[in-house]
Amino acid sequence: MGRWREKRKKHKQEPSSFWDLLADILLWIPELLLLPFRLIIWIGRGFFRLIGNLFDFY
């Protein structure tokens, strides 16, 4: 248990720099722009699978 605590103390997170923040923002912009389209596709696929499963019962 003591080793685990020592390793944890050694690996304390360093404060983020401006460049890290800028890189994170630039990587998240495309994700946020594409999220609504992904949600529409996921909902559509689920809806069509539900309809397809209803027809399988008959």
Side-chain angles (χ1 to χ4, degrees):
M1 186 87 163
R3 288 183 181 175
W4 179 77
R5 286 185 184 165
E6 289 175 11
K7 287 182 181 180
R8 188 170 178 216
K9 286 180 183 178
K10 287 181 183 178
H11 293 290
K12 284 187 178 178
Q13 190 174 12
E14 297 177 6
S16 298
S17 69
F18 170 75
W19 299 110
D20 290 335
L21 179 66
L22 185 65
D24 285 341
I25 290 171
L26 289 176
L27 289 173
W28 270 96
I29 288 173
E31 294 290 330
L32 292 176
L33 291 176
L34 294 175
L35 182 64
F37 300 110
R38 286 184 183 175
L39 288 175
I40 290 169
I41 291 171
W42 290 338
I43 290 170
R45 288 170 81 189
F47 179 72
F48 287 120
R49 284 184 183 175
L50 179 67
I51 297 297
N53 288 338
L54 288 175
F55 286 120
D56 286 342
F57 288 125
Y58 294 112

